[in-house]
Amino acid sequence: MGDERVKAEALQILGLFQVLPRLVVFDLDYTLWPFYCECRSKRESPSLYRHAKGIVCALKEKGVDMAIASRSPTPDIATAFIGKLELQPMFVTQEIFSSWTHKTEHFQKIQRKTGVPYKSMLFFDDEDRNIESAGLVWVHIYHQACDLAIAVALSPSIKYLL
């Protein structure tokens, strides 16, 4: 499925909701792309999960701000890949650094930089420990089921997607 088709479907789904989150925060490894940055080289050509670009573009078109919260031990590689994938302009802030505090510090920095209250954020990650520690409305992503996840996540009663 091409990026434009995914974007159109995501826009249709997003159009079903009267209120969207003010900020959607994405993890990187195994959430937006199918690998760990520390296992790759900056010289490589990265790829996203097949639905990721279209969904990110749809959120941007709807005026939803986006950010990155990644505990990658190789922020230089993650940042290089974001650039190669032309995603840099999509995110209002990027917090990419190794941490033993789950993502608490990442979200504190995101909140300070954006001014968006935690209750107005939606967080996508593939690791329970990061999601649970953030204390946000969140969605656990298995194998990047983002097309379904957007529809489910934006429902105020859903907190967890299997």
Side-chain angles (χ1 to χ4, degrees):
M1 183 179 289
D3 291 343
E4 287 302 315
R5 185 169 167 201
V6 171
K7 178 182 171 184
E9 287 183 23
L11 285 169
Q12 184 178 15
I13 292 167
L14 291 168
L16 298 173
F17 299 92
Q18 293 179 1
V19 178
L20 296 173
R22 287 183 48 201
L23 182 69
V24 174
V25 182
F26 291 99
D27 174 43
L28 294 174
D29 297 347
Y30 288 96
T31 300
L32 284 182
W33 50 51
F35 53 82
Y36 289 114
C37 287
E38 61 265 30
C39 297
R40 307 289 292 266
S41 162
K42 281 196 260 189
R43 294 182 303 269
E44 292 182 55
S45 296
S47 62
L48 296 168
Y49 280 109
R50 65 185 179 120
H51 294 109
K53 183 84 175 234
I55 290 167
V56 167
C57 290
L59 288 166
K60 185 76 167 176
E61 186 170 311
K62 280 292 197 178
V64 176
D65 284 337
M66 290 170 283
I68 294 172
S70 174
R71 293 186 318 111
S72 175
T74 54
D76 56 327
I77 295 173
T79 302
F81 285 177
I82 290 165
K84 286 182 177 189
L85 293 164
E86 300 178 347
L87 293 175
Q88 188 76 28
M90 302 299 232
F91 300 102
V92 295
T93 188
Q94 299 175 34
E95 295 302 327
I96 306 170
F97 56 89
S98 187
S99 172
W100 295 106
T101 62
H102 305 293
K103 292 202 176 162
T104 305
E105 189 176 350
H106 294 73
F107 276 94
Q108 289 170 346
K109 289 182 176 193
I110 289 169
Q111 201 282 322
R112 277 194 305 270
K113 288 179 179 179
T114 65
V116 175
Y118 296 125
K119 68 180 181 179
S120 297
M121 295 181 190
L122 178 63
F123 178 32
F124 288 86
D125 200 317
D126 66 316
E127 292 187 43
D128 287 335
R129 64 185 173 154
N130 294 327
I131 293 167
E132 292 165 358
S133 67
L136 305 170
V137 173
W138 50 271
V139 176
H140 187 135
I141 301 296
Y142 285 104
H143 306 294
Q144 194 54 27
C146 263
D147 49 344
L148 175 60
I150 282 183
V152 174
L154 295 176
S155 172
S157 62
I158 301 297
K159 301 280 189 212
Y160 196 80
L161 174 66
L162 294 174

